[in-house]
Amino acid sequence: MGESVLTAHVASAVKADAPPAIVLDGVNKWFGALHVLRDINLQVAAGERVVVCGPSGSGKSTMIRCINRLEQHQEGRIVVDGIELTDDLRSLDAIRREVGMVFQSFNLFPHLTVLDNCTLAPIWVRRMPKKEAEERARGFLNLMRIPEQAEKYPGQLSGGQQQRVAIARALCMQPKIMLFDEPTSALDPEMIKEVLDTMVMLAEMGMTMVCVTHEMGFARQVADRVVFMDRGEIVESGEPEAIFNNPQTDRLKLFLSQIL
Ligand code: ADP
Ligand code: MG
């Protein structure tokens, strides 16, 4: 059931006349004196899968966190699905409705069951009837291949299972766009694949995704485009093959030599 709901939803989000999913236009951000995002220009089309990579501290998290205003940029424009991100709370609300986010550290509510983690926001923010929210959540837990975990608490699950709950929870809000910030970095190696597999599945269903990750196998498999950041700048971007096999800058060559 999760799959059919998601497929229909994704299809409606990726219409031919859909505006770009995400536009970052001349975005600059400082933390105090530290210039962390430098003239970022990035467009993500509806249905596109973008992988963001780069050294630690290069601004990857800050960039994707600005998209749903977990961080606030100071210069430039951010437009999500045609909605400009402004100080108007209605624009922020509208954008957060469209954007699901998955973090490195799962961020589940430890005192709630898996099912309640997944239904909390749909019930309280979207006013969805409880029964419908639970049906939907079970559908997505099924899609994430953890239907049997619904009544457990996060602490009883492995890291890979917790991260798949976090993905299911985000999907329960029916986002048009999913942002992932190093979703497998905190996982033991044997759990990385089970999480990446679910992300590949989402990608194959046509979900618009921006994913910060150093999993280059994943990037090669699903990314339409890889964006390489260093010191707050987008230094190179292109198709995975071009980025990995034919890097243009010394900075990217150095980065690839360190991770591959
Ligand atoms: P990445 O995700 O690529 O590792 P980040 O976006 O987390 O990089 O960080 C970019 C830079 O901004 C780093 O120098 C980091 O130390 C700094 N930074 C991140 N968050 C904050 C913050 N809340 N306050 C001050 N500096 C920050
Ligand atoms: Mg980061």
Side-chain angles (χ1 to χ4, degrees):
M1 174 263 183
E3 183 157 354
S4 58
V5 169
L6 190 62
T7 309
H9 176 66
V10 165
S12 75
V14 189
K15 287 196 218 93
D17 58 348
I22 302 169
V23 178
L24 279 74
D25 181 12
V27 170
N28 280 276
K29 170 161 184 67
W30 291 260
F31 282 119
L34 187 66
H35 196 175
V36 288
L37 295 179
R38 296 170 183 262
D39 277 323
I40 299 288
N41 294 301
L42 178 72
Q43 275 219 17
V44 180
E48 196 177 10
R49 276 77 54 149
V50 174
V51 161
V52 180
C53 64
S56 178
S58 57
K60 306 179 299 297
S61 296
T62 304
M63 181 176 80
I64 68 166
R65 290 167 64 85
C66 281
I67 294 169
N68 60 354
R69 196 148 292 193
L70 295 177
E71 300 290 354
Q72 195 165 347
H73 66 289
Q74 284 110 7
E75 274 181 14
R77 292 169 68 233
I78 296 179
V79 185
V80 178
D81 195 32
I83 307 161
E84 177 148 7
L85 183 57
T86 65
D87 290 331
D88 183 347
L89 282 180
R90 278 169 304 182
S91 95
L92 180 56
D93 251 20
I95 285 174
R96 288 200 175 150
R97 270 177 177 268
E98 312 231 336
V99 179
M101 181 136 184
V102 174
F103 304 88
Q104 181 175 334
S105 52
F106 323 140
N107 294 10
L108 298 173
F109 300 111
H111 59 292
L112 296 181
T113 64
V114 163
L115 192 65
D116 289 343
N117 264 278
C118 291
T119 58
L120 186 73
I123 291 172
W124 294 103
V125 181
R126 293 288 168 82
R127 308 277 163 206
M128 189 182 278
K130 185 167 186 229
K131 187 159 173 292
E132 188 184 335
E134 290 188 346
E135 265 174 35
R136 185 179 288 273
R138 286 185 193 279
F140 286 127
L141 291 170
N142 197 26
L143 190 68
M144 292 295 120
R145 303 178 189 135
I146 41 171
E148 70 288 353
Q149 308 299 338
E151 273 69 39
K152 292 195 189 156
Y153 288 86
Q156 298 173 290
L157 274 53
S158 73
Q161 291 170 330
Q162 290 188 53
Q163 193 59 302
R164 285 180 286 151
V165 174
I167 297 172
R169 180 176 64 174
L171 293 174
C172 284
M173 292 297 273
Q174 294 179 270
K176 287 186 177 172
I177 299 164
M178 286 285 285
L179 306 177
F180 293 87
D181 192 359
E182 301 206 35
T184 59
S185 298
L187 298 176
D188 293 331
E190 69 272 21
M191 292 169 192
I192 290 176
K193 185 172 181 304
E194 63 190 42
V195 171
L196 288 178
D197 283 349
T198 63
M199 293 167 60
V200 169
M201 183 171 61
L202 286 182
E204 285 171 350
M205 293 168 94
M207 178 64 83
T208 307
M209 294 165 65
V210 178
C211 186
V212 178
T213 182
H214 294 159
E215 294 292 337
M216 294 303 140
F218 173 79
R220 281 182 195 274
Q221 195 177 350
V222 308
D224 300 299
R225 189 146 49 106
V226 175
V227 170
F228 169 65
M229 290 183 72
D230 190 21
R231 291 180 232 156
E233 290 175 316
I234 295 182
V235 177
E236 287 193 42
S237 89
E239 290 180 4
E241 290 310 311
I243 289 290
F244 297 135
N245 301 345
N246 193 16
Q248 300 295 308
T249 58
D250 290 341
R251 289 202 257 178
L252 177 53
K253 286 176 194 162
L254 176 67
F255 176 71
L256 293 173
S257 73
Q258 287 163 344
I259 61 156
L260 293 179

